[in-house]
Amino acid sequence: DAGVTQSPTHLIKTRGQHVTLRCSPISGHKSVSWYQQVLGQGPQFIFQYYEKEERGRGNFPDRFSARQFPNYSSELNVNALLLGDSALYLCASSLGTGGFQTQYFGPGTRLLVL
Amino acid sequence: QKEVEQDPGPLSVPEGAIVSLNCTYSNSAFQYFMWYRQYSRKGPELLMYTYSSGNKEDGRFTAQVDKSSKYISLFIRDSQPSDSATYLCAMSDGRGSTLGRLYFGRGTQLTVWP
């Protein structure tokens, strides 16, 4: 079975630009979460979506936004990029129902902002 | 004070050693405890998942949770060079609006040398 997939794998942008990252969850999973992992740190929660609705939001500025599509795939958008946005962006999927669900991570998109 | 504290290491052990990895936390509402393994430049891979206090064993891996001390551990027996990775603890309160949010430690970098 295919796991969580993310695209692109790597991305280089300059300050002020906009970026869109994409994620496809495990088949049958309806919830997608996004995390930011800065080098040497653990992942930090950005968003969670379930059935196209935002279920949770972490402590990130409004420059970060996301959405989920009818096929449960998701996009993370970041506007007005800053140098500090350079990180590994991880997508995780879970079943999304029945209380707490374990999350399975994709390989991530490595973003470098110059 | 961060909600989850984890010694970043690095930790270097010979093949066959018993490895002990630990995290402490401050939020008494955490009920779900996970260990993820992350190889260099990859996404985190779920190793163990424990609910509430107690022990859980899976092959060479044992997870322990002591909620009274707000302390969790992962033990690796007969460590192998292939265990060389960063180990991340993660936890959740599994409630309401924070249902899908995982709180991570910064990870412990482990090297097992032959």
Side-chain angles (χ1 to χ4, degrees), chain A residues 72-107:
Chain A
Y72 304 110
S73 67
S74 178
E75 282 182 355
L76 175 70
N77 295 283
V78 187
N79 293 323
L81 286 166
L82 302 174
L83 296 180
D85 295 331
S86 296
L88 180 67
Y89 287 85
L90 295 162
C91 173
S93 79
S94 60
L95 286 170
T97 61
F100 177 80
Q101 296 289 334
T102 52
Q103 297 185 24
Y104 299 90
F105 284 82

Side-chain angles (χ1 to χ4, degrees), chain B:
Chain B
Q1 181 188 12
K2 295 188 70 174
E3 292 197 77
V4 181
E5 298 281 357
Q6 183 176 10
D7 186 339
L11 186 60
S12 181
V13 301
E15 183 175 356
I18 297 174
V19 176
S20 173
L21 305 168
N22 311 293
C23 290
T24 59
Y25 62 95
S26 57
N27 188 345
S28 58
F30 287 150
Q31 301 183 69
Y32 302 89
F33 304 91
M34 288 133 282
W35 286 94
Y36 285 85
R37 177 173 64 194
Q38 187 173 27
Y39 291 113
S40 181
R41 310 185 78 79
K42 302 290 186 183
E45 168 196 12
L46 181 65
L47 274 178
M48 304 279 289
Y49 156 58
T50 309
Y51 170 69
S52 193
S53 285
N55 295 356
K56 187 173 185 179
E57 187 173 320
D58 184 1
R60 296 185 296 110
F61 298 89
T62 300
Q64 289 185 351
V65 175
D66 182 349
K67 290 189 70 179
S68 62
S69 301
K70 297 189 179 66
Y71 187 87
I72 70 171
S73 301
L74 177 71
F75 297 95
I76 307 174
R77 292 183 300 280
D78 188 25
S79 57
Q80 302 295 309
S82 59
D83 294 329
S84 298
T86 296
Y87 289 80
L88 296 157
C89 63
M91 40 200 86
S92 170
D93 60 17
R95 298 177 181 174
S97 63
T98 57
L99 181 66
R101 177 174 182 168
L102 297 182
Y103 296 80
F104 282 88
R106 62 182 298 183
T108 298
Q109 185 180 343
L110 172 67
T111 300
V112 182
W113 43 275

Side-chain angles (χ1 to χ4, degrees), chain A:
Chain A
D1 284 343
V4 177
T5 59
Q6 293 187 242
S7 63
T9 55
H10 296 82
L11 206 51
I12 300 175
K13 293 285 188 179
T14 57
R15 281 178 297 173
Q17 285 190 311
H18 163 91
V19 68
T20 297
L21 311 180
R22 296 178 174 84
C23 170
S24 291
I26 293 170
S27 178
H29 285 193
K30 298 182 178 181
S31 181
V32 168
S33 298
W34 287 95
Y35 291 80
Q36 180 196 64
Q37 186 177 24
V38 173
L39 191 64
Q41 300 295 321
Q44 295 292 313
F45 175 77
I46 309 175
F47 288 110
Q48 185 187 33
Y49 277 77
Y50 172 65
E51 291 282 13
K52 296 173 288 181
E53 298 289 327
E54 183 183 298
R55 179 184 267 182
R57 171 186 284 257
N59 188 24
F60 280 80
D62 292 344
R63 299 185 295 107
F64 289 76
S65 63
R67 55 179 176 167
Q68 187 177 31
F69 299 99
N71 66 354
Y72 304 110
S73 67
S74 178
E75 282 182 355
L76 175 70
N77 295 283
V78 187
N79 293 323
L81 286 166
L82 302 174
L83 296 180
D85 295 331
S86 296
L88 180 67
Y89 287 85
L90 295 162
C91 173
S93 79
S94 60
L95 286 170
T97 61
F100 177 80
Q101 296 289 334
T102 52
Q103 297 185 24
Y104 299 90
F105 284 82
T109 294
R110 191 165 297 277
L111 172 65
L112 178 61
V113 182
L114 300 176

